[in-house]
């Protein structure tokens, strides 16, 4: 694993990045190596898992829906070194499988109220 321009290189995990260096609203900067953003962890290779553990990440917040979590199971599970928190940020009442969502978009696109979905 190596870093180039704040990017960590993994074999099968793409879009992994350190949030460190980003400015906050009050002008301060996030510390490097403290908070990372990444896609789901079901794609990790064996080498990726080893590299991931070298970062000594203590907590993972999985923001996917329960359906997404079941369909693409994370290769990193809670253990003595890392805690995986399953915190879906999506409204579970509107949860679709990918097929159901595609079918909904194709057959009933005019019934989607994006303001209702987007705003609380």
């Amino acid at each position: 694993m190596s870093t180039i321009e704040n990017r960590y290189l993994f074999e099968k995990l793409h879009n992994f990045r350190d949030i460190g260096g980003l400015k906050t609203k009050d002008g301060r900067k996030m510390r490097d190596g403290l908070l990372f953003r990444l896609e789901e962890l079901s794609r990790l290779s064996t080498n990726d898992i080893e590299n991931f553990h070298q970062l000594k990440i203590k907590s993972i917040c999985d923001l996917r829906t329960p359906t997404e979590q079941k369909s693409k199971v994370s290769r990193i599970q809670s253990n003595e070194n890392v805690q995986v928190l399953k915190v879906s940020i999506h409204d579970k009442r509107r949860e679709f499988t990918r097929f159901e969502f595609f079918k909904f978009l194709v057959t009933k696109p005019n019934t989607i109220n994006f303001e209702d979905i987007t705003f609380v």
Side-chain angles (χ1 to χ4, degrees):
M1 178 180 57
S2 62
T3 61
I4 300 173
E5 297 177 352
N6 201 29
R7 283 185 159 171
Y8 292 77
L9 300 179
F10 291 90
E11 293 174 352
K12 296 189 176 185
L13 179 64
H14 306 287
N15 204 17
F16 181 94
R17 56 189 181 267
D18 190 342
I19 303 300
L22 293 179
K23 286 187 178 183
T24 61
K25 286 184 179 182
D26 62 3
R28 296 183 293 167
K29 285 188 180 181
M30 288 287 298
R31 239 184 291 169
D32 290 335
L34 185 64
L35 182 63
F36 300 93
R37 187 263 179 241
L38 61 141
E39 62 183 305
E40 44 89 17
L41 296 170
S42 68
R43 301 176 187 195
L44 293 175
S45 69
T46 302
N47 288 335
D48 288 342
I49 293 171
E50 290 176 23
N51 291 336
F52 188 86
H53 286 305
Q54 287 178 7
L55 295 171
K56 297 184 177 16
I57 292 173
K58 302 287 185 217
S59 298
I60 298 170
C61 295
D62 190 341
L63 305 178
R64 301 173 299 153
T65 65
T67 300
E68 291 171 315
Q69 292 169 9
K70 288 176 188 173
S71 69
K72 294 184 177 181
V73 178
S74 173
R75 300 223 33 223
I76 305 288
Q77 298 295 318
S78 289
N79 59 48
E80 64 277 357
N81 299 316
V82 64
Q83 178 183 20
V84 178
L85 305 165
K86 296 180 178 184
V87 190
S88 176
I89 61 171
H90 301 285
D91 183 345
K92 291 172 183 58
R93 292 172 294 153
R94 300 174 192 264
E95 193 173 320
F96 290 105
T97 65
R98 287 182 179 185
F99 176 74
E100 289 169 337
F101 185 65
F102 180 74
K103 183 178 174 184
F104 179 77
L105 288 177
V106 171
T107 60
K108 301 177 185 176
N110 296 332
T111 64
I112 302 172
N113 182 340
F114 286 102
E115 285 186 12
D116 187 39
I117 293 170
T118 308
F119 302 107
V120 179

